Amino acid sequence: MRRRTSAAAALTAAVLAAVGTGVITALPSYAATGCRVAYTVTNQWPGGFGASVAVTNLGDPINGWTLAWSYSAGQQVTQYWSTALTQSGAAVSARNVDYNGSLSTGATTSFGFNGSWTGSNPVPASFTLNGVTCTGGVSGSPTPTRTAGPSPSPSRSVTPSPSSGTPGVPSDAVWSASGQWDTWNNNGFTVYNNIWGSGAGPQTVWARSGTNWGVIANHPMTSGVKSYPHTVKGSVNRTVSSLASLTSSFNVSVPSSGDYSTTYDIWADNWAYEVMLWMNWNGNVGPIAEQYDANGAVPAFRNVSLGGHTWNIYRGSNGANAVFSFLRTSKTNSGTVDIRAIMNWLRTQGWWGDVTVGEAQFGFEISGTSGSAAFTDNSFSIAWS
């Protein structure tokens, strides 16, 4: 109902400098260049919208890309997935992640995002791919362009950096960062800081590995989700019927106070469906539902034993996608869950069809903390076949 996420990859130094610093840098060129972009507003509601962007490489093969555009009506990207995205003023730069950086001639990749708007929401007038304007055709070897870009702090860390000394960050952490969209890749996993909600306070993510990481957060106890720091192992990219198995295990440590939940966030059919598995939660948080009463959200099903756990199950929509929430009837900080069983149950209920499962994220959805609070993913695993 919110993210993201999706995602980041190692970037070349030239591209990072072009989008993350004010240094004048030559962007790469290729013997034959060309690209086509399809930008589609998939959903729109008062003050917000969802968009999908398909990028087709018409030139020589490339390994690592940056798609750039500018908004003309003050739109702001609020969350994204299958890209590493930054915005400075009207200028947006969307970069590849670890699984979609290589584009052969004629290959297409897609990513998506949610954003905010006021007044109007026009489609961007033009796009550039690695500094070359996308015209829908192919040109010969271009003269490298030189760009003096804005000077925001880089939104991600390319290589591991040691602990920054932030109180609560372990001294043996090999990476830590406090930027809004900072990410780190390790052994097939990507760890995201992902501070996406309004009114957020400071948050530092740290990691020993992609499956042993944590967050030091200090968010005000106000309404609304502030962040979803999480880890993810690429994209499943399989239909439900083709999965022989999809299982995951976790072990976390969480604070005794605050408003938060420990959740899986599983996406399907290009972000049309979101499945949330609430393993534990605390404070003033709750699922999206079709009905509410004096006690809050009303489950569509109660006490359903499924995937190794017993759940109360909720169905709803956040305006951009359908949301199916599974809340354990008793909270736990560790366990193993058969995610495939949950996917198949949703099919038998007719809530979705033979959808294509995308990212299966795991982390902490934080609305507020009682001062500085530590959340730790002690261990995590996920596998499918």
Side-chain angles (χ1 to χ4, degrees):
M1 83 194 172
R2 328 159 241 271
R3 323 305 154 228
R4 320 347 149 76
T5 1
S6 293
L11 305 175
T12 63
V15 174
L16 181 61
V19 299
T21 72
V23 178
I24 297 177
T25 307
L27 296 172
S29 61
Y30 302 90
T33 61
C35 45
R36 180 173 62 244
V37 176
Y39 177 107
T40 305
V41 176
T42 56
N43 294 281
Q44 185 163 300
W45 57 95
F49 71 99
S52 176
V53 181
V55 185
T56 301
N57 175 34
L58 303 177
D60 285 352
I62 58 177
N63 186 15
W65 51 263
T66 298
L67 185 75
W69 70 89
S70 293
Y71 282 120
S72 60
Q75 299 100 315
Q76 292 289 316
V77 175
T78 56
Q79 60 191 79
Y80 52 85
W81 45 89
S82 297
T83 182
L85 187 148
T86 58
Q87 181 170 1
S88 178
V92 180
S93 293
R95 304 183 297 280
N96 66 276
V97 294
D98 55 354
Y99 54 83
N100 64 6
S102 296
L103 292 179
S104 59
T105 303
T108 299
T109 190
S110 299
F111 61 90
F113 59 89
N114 290 335
S116 62
W117 64 279
T118 56
S120 63
N121 185 25
V123 171
S126 66
F127 300 83
T128 63
L129 183 67
N130 287 354
V132 177
T133 301
C134 293
T135 63
V138 181
S139 64
S141 179
T143 302
T145 59
R146 299 178 69 85
T147 305
S151 302
S153 299
S155 68
R156 62 180 302 278
S157 184
V158 176
T159 57
S161 58
S163 172
S164 63
T166 299
V169 174
S171 60
D172 61 345
V174 299
W175 175 76
S176 67
S178 302
Q180 182 178 16
W181 309 118
D182 281 341
T183 62
W184 180 56
N185 297 311
N186 173 256
N187 200 28
F189 287 85
T190 303
V191 178
Y192 292 79
N193 204 25
N194 196 18
I195 308 170
W196 67 270
S198 61
Q203 178 175 292
T204 297
V205 63
W206 60 266
R208 297 185 181 97
S209 69
T211 57
N212 179 201
W213 58 279
V215 170
I216 309 299
N218 192 349
H219 297 302
M221 297 284 282
T222 54
S223 62
V225 178
K226 308 302 188 302
S227 67
Y228 181 63
H230 65 275
T231 189
V232 63
K233 186 180 181 180
S235 182
V236 178
N237 197 30
R238 297 274 296 275
T239 60
V240 173
S241 65
S242 70
L243 284 169
S245 66
L246 175 54
T247 60
S248 180
S249 296
F250 67 97
N251 182 293
V252 299
S253 300
V254 293
S256 59
S257 61
D259 298 335
Y260 64 83
S261 59
T262 300
T263 63
Y264 287 86
D265 207 14
I266 303 160
W267 298 88
D269 271 10
N270 197 28
W271 318 99
Y273 298 98
E274 179 182 16
V275 181
M276 299 194 70
L277 310 181
W278 294 52
M279 311 314 293
N280 67 48
W281 60 95
N282 191 80
N284 187 28
V285 295
I288 291 176
E290 292 178 318
Q291 296 182 4
Y292 297 84
D293 61 18
N295 296 316
V298 176
F301 293 88
R302 297 181 185 269
N303 299 314
V304 178
S305 293
L306 188 63
H309 304 265
T310 302
W311 317 87
N312 291 330
I313 304 172
Y314 303 77
R315 179 181 184 179
S317 172
N318 62 18
N321 52 262
V323 183
F324 308 135
S325 300
F326 293 69
L327 276 64
R328 275 180 51 97
T329 55
S330 61
K331 305 170 188 179
T332 185
N333 288 343
S334 63
T336 297
V337 58
D338 181 351
I339 299 174
R340 175 178 173 270
I342 294 170
M343 307 289 100
N344 282 324
W345 184 89
L346 288 167
R347 285 190 71 190
T348 64
Q349 297 304 315
W351 287 11
W352 66 14
D354 191 17
V355 299
T356 299
V357 182
E359 292 187 359
Q361 307 164 351
F362 177 78
F364 309 102
E365 188 165 82
I366 309 172
S367 294
T369 60
S370 300
S372 181
F375 301 79
T376 305
D377 179 4
N378 300 307
S379 63
F380 177 73
S381 67
I382 188 167
W384 56 85
S385 63

